[in-house]
Amino acid sequence: MAPSRPVLQARKWLPMASFQARTSREPGRTVIRLAGECDLAVRERLTGTLLAAVDAAPVVVVDLAAVEFLDSTGIHALVAAHHRARAADGRLYLVNAAGSVAALLELTGVGELLRHPGEATD
């Protein structure tokens, strides 16, 4: 009798992390409140949201308070939007980054590059 092979068990998949981008217009600026995970899975939506905002307003403030995870694709989207804003004589700022998101922004230099003038530095 041949040795029995282990039976492959069905893999339990965790639900995909959520991502939200809420945009609001305020006098003289647009505010984008991001939430969830900013990674490869949401790259196109994130980039599209940021670029549309910088095309529509001279100042864009991106609130990262509810962002739980940010990877290199999220960093790329922020930098691409920054370059688009600067090419149009506009600005893109980041506010309220915390934890590992703030650490990654500081490690890459993006935190300093996109620091809002009203944000305190450590």
Side-chain angles (χ1 to χ4, degrees), residues 28-43:
R29 68 183 188 169
T30 294
V31 177
I32 301 173
R33 289 173 180 82
L34 300 178
E37 296 187 3
C38 298
D39 59 12
L40 183 60
V42 299
R43 175 187 64 188

Side-chain angles (χ1 to χ4, degrees), residues 11-102:
R11 185 180 264 184
K12 293 181 182 179
W13 294 99
L14 297 174
M16 291 183 68
S18 65
F19 168 77
Q20 292 182 352
R22 294 184 184 159
T23 303
S24 61
R25 301 218 189 310
E26 297 178 1
R29 68 183 188 169
T30 294
V31 177
I32 301 173
R33 289 173 180 82
L34 300 178
E37 296 187 3
C38 298
D39 59 12
L40 183 60
V42 299
R43 175 187 64 188
E44 290 179 22
R45 184 171 165 211
L46 174 60
T47 301
T49 299
L50 294 171
L51 294 179
V54 299
D55 288 345
V59 176
V60 175
V61 177
V62 181
D63 187 335
L64 301 174
V67 173
E68 299 165 2
F69 178 79
L70 180 70
D71 73 0
S72 62
T73 55
I75 294 286
H76 182 268
L78 292 167
V79 172
H82 162 72
H83 286 296
R84 171 90 59 98
R86 295 304 296 151
D89 292 326
R91 290 292 304 187
L92 180 130
Y93 297 112
L94 304 178
V95 295
N96 300 325
S100 63
V101 172

